[in-house]
Amino acid sequence: MPSRTPLRRLLGAALLLPVASLSPAVTAAAAERTVDYQGLRLDLPADWRVIDLDRHPEACLRLDVPTLYLGHAGTQSECAGRAAATRADTLHLEPIAGAPPRADIPTLAVDGGRALPPTEGDSNEVRYALRRSGVMATLSYGAAPDTVRALLARAVAAGRSPAEAEGAVARSGPAAAVVSAVRAAVRAPRSAQEAFTGEGFDACTAPTQRSMDSWRARSPFRAVGVYIGGRARACAQPQLTAAWVRRQAAAGWHLMPIWVGPQPWHSKSTGLSTDPSRANEQGRDAADGAVDAARALGLPEGTVLYNDLENYSDRATWDAPSVAYLTAWTVRLHERGFRSGAYVAASSGVKALSAHYHQAPQAMPDVLWGARWNGAASVSDQDMGLSGRTPQWVGPRRAHQFRGDHDASYGGVTLNIDRNWLDVDPAALGPVGGLPPLS
């Protein structure tokens, strides 16, 4: 399967703001640029892009290119790709008023002149509600958040005067509401995964509600894959809230929550270990992160959570750690009350899992989601990349991604998507972790 890192549709120079368009205080220098926003003054490295989301609501909040994003996210219709080969430091600043109560990443409130409390997220993203400036700051990072957090901390320290700060605090009452909304107990949807056989799609970022409503009415899709987290997630998820999940479930969408953890490539920020023992640990860590995100989004126990493990060509290197990672992912999800799914390529991950199935059937993913872009909307053995007449993943335990990375339009809404055919019934899988071994 072709790599799905988001290399196409790079935002061109038209979206890179001229320095003068940001603020009269913005200047350019050989080594860095200074940007003022809501009383925060940021000294950006020279290689950072600056994108005004108010002027360009279609811009994708990509996490693989150093970027300062300003304003509330829009439709993100420019988004494409799924997994990032390398995560970059990015910073998204928006007014607290109107900032979504995202449940997929940690959100901390910072009052007055307090230092930014250190924290890290399972998806390499964290948010700070800066009450002094009335700004919500979302940080994305590669291996560690230290550099981008220091950049933001310097901006906070050089922020408003005491009088301005007092007014900002008075206007930033929504900060407490945003944080409390994220921390509040989440009402779970009736079901996010009814039995489903039919066509589904997945996109890099969760579509807006208008897009989901239009596609529900006009498209052939009734299932949607949504990327709930992971260190290799390529696009930010400003639409992804517990309310979003609840609304899609209520509308009858079959949800496929996807975790984009470490990948079978060599990368300090997003790579899977070639050591199966270490890959086993990474699988358990990924499961814990996915469960925490799923619960924050209101997804109930028993939900199938899918791990996106991208294609690889060097099977001699990656088969063993990939199997160790996905079996550990499965075991840990079962321990925590969730079911396991694995998105893998027919030419690599499917073959590796199939070859080891008899060794540990209880540790195999409950649902196999195979990627083979052959245009065939079916989950037959051949289309899944499995041997003929295999008893592996028989019954309602399969999904097939049969077309990738293309634009589709329904009801006047265009999205970049992958197409899938599903035959999945979580209720038919039996108790969590209780699938019988093959005879």
Side-chain angles (χ1 to χ4, degrees):
M1 182 186 74
S3 172
R4 299 195 303 162
T5 52
L7 299 180
R8 67 186 290 267
R9 291 190 176 184
L10 288 176
L11 293 174
L15 289 188
L16 302 185
L17 298 180
V19 171
S21 71
L22 286 171
S23 162
V26 177
T27 59
E32 63 183 24
R33 288 176 294 170
T34 300
V35 175
D36 278 356
Y37 183 78
Q38 299 277 100
L40 299 177
R41 174 160 293 184
L42 300 103
D43 294 322
L44 299 179
D47 63 337
W48 277 50
R49 308 179 308 166
V50 180
I51 296 179
D52 185 336
L53 297 171
D54 292 332
R55 293 180 59 196
H56 301 286
E58 73 284 356
C60 182
L61 277 72
R62 291 178 45 187
L63 305 180
D64 63 336
V65 181
T67 307
L68 172 64
Y69 299 101
L70 301 175
H72 295 310
T75 63
Q76 292 202 93
S77 59
E78 295 283 354
C79 283
R82 307 298 180 267
T86 302
R87 283 287 291 272
D89 288 341
T90 73
L91 182 59
H92 176 202
L93 303 179
E94 61 186 317
I96 287 176
R102 291 181 60 178
D104 58 319
I105 58 176
T107 302
L108 302 177
V110 179
D111 294 318
R114 286 178 48 204
L116 299 179
T119 188
E120 297 188 27
D122 293 309
S123 299
N124 288 22
E125 291 178 80
V126 297
R127 295 205 308 174
Y128 292 101
L130 308 174
R131 295 193 68 223
R132 180 179 180 183
S133 298
V135 170
M136 183 69 77
T138 305
L139 287 64
S140 169
Y141 53 90
D146 301 349
T147 300
V148 66
R149 186 165 57 222
L151 184 154
L152 179 62
R154 288 192 297 271
V156 172
R160 301 176 186 267
S161 68
E164 291 174 317
E166 183 177 352
V169 169
R171 294 191 301 272
S172 64
V178 169
V179 176
S180 63
V182 172
R183 294 175 178 171
V186 178
R187 178 165 51 90
R190 176 176 58 86
S191 175
Q193 291 181 330
E194 299 285 353
F196 180 74
T197 300
E199 197 167 356
F201 76 96
D202 58 279
C204 193
T205 188
T208 64
Q209 190 59 51
R210 174 182 174 275
S211 298
M212 293 300 297
D213 291 343
S214 294
W215 277 42
R216 178 67 185 174
R218 301 294 181 87
S219 81
F221 306 116
R222 293 297 179 267
V224 56
V226 59
Y227 294 81
I228 66 171
R231 67 171 61 176
R233 183 167 64 176
C235 302
Q237 292 283 17
Q239 304 293 335
L240 188 56
T241 66
W244 188 93
V245 168
R246 195 162 53 246
R247 289 187 68 174
Q248 309 329 310
W253 287 99
H254 177 100
L255 300 183
M256 303 177 75
I258 306 166
W259 188 262
V260 196
Q263 299 296 320
W265 53 52
H266 300 287
S267 169
K268 184 178 180 181
S269 59
T270 64
L272 180 68
S273 174
T274 57
D275 177 359
S277 295
R278 174 58 186 141
N280 183 287
E281 296 174 4
Q282 289 178 302
R284 291 183 65 85
D285 290 344
D288 284 334
V291 167
D292 291 345
R295 286 179 171 166
L297 289 167
L299 294 168
E301 290 189 2
T303 300
V304 180
L305 306 181
Y306 294 85
N307 194 304
D308 179 334
L309 189 77
E310 292 292 317
N311 185 39
Y312 54 90
S313 57
D314 183 1
R315 292 189 57 198
T317 296
W318 294 112
D319 269 9
S322 294
V323 171
Y325 172 73
L326 290 173
T327 52
W329 154 268
T330 298
V331 170
R332 183 57 176 159
L333 283 184
H334 289 171
E335 290 173 353
R336 298 197 62 182
F338 285 77
R339 293 190 173 93
S340 161
Y343 167 91
V344 284
S347 60
S348 53
V350 168
K351 294 186 180 301
L353 287 172
S354 179
H356 291 83
Y357 196 107
H358 284 279
Q359 296 177 12
Q362 298 284 356
M364 285 293 138
D366 301 311
V367 178
L368 184 68
W369 184 0
R372 187 179 187 187
W373 295 355
N374 62 357
S378 85
V379 290
S380 69
D381 295 338
Q382 179 179 0
D383 290 322
M384 292 287 294
L386 294 165
S387 58
R389 298 184 179 179
T390 179
Q392 299 171 356
W393 294 284
V394 293
R397 301 176 58 194
R398 295 182 181 182
H400 172 208
Q401 186 180 93
F402 62 88
R403 184 182 178 190
D405 199 20
H406 66 285
D407 288 342
S409 297
Y410 298 97
V413 175
T414 300
L415 300 174
N416 182 268
I417 64 168
D418 301 322
R419 290 178 185 252
N420 308 275
W421 186 264
L422 287 72
D423 182 19
V424 177
D425 182 2
L429 298 177
V432 173
L435 291 174
L438 297 176
S439 57

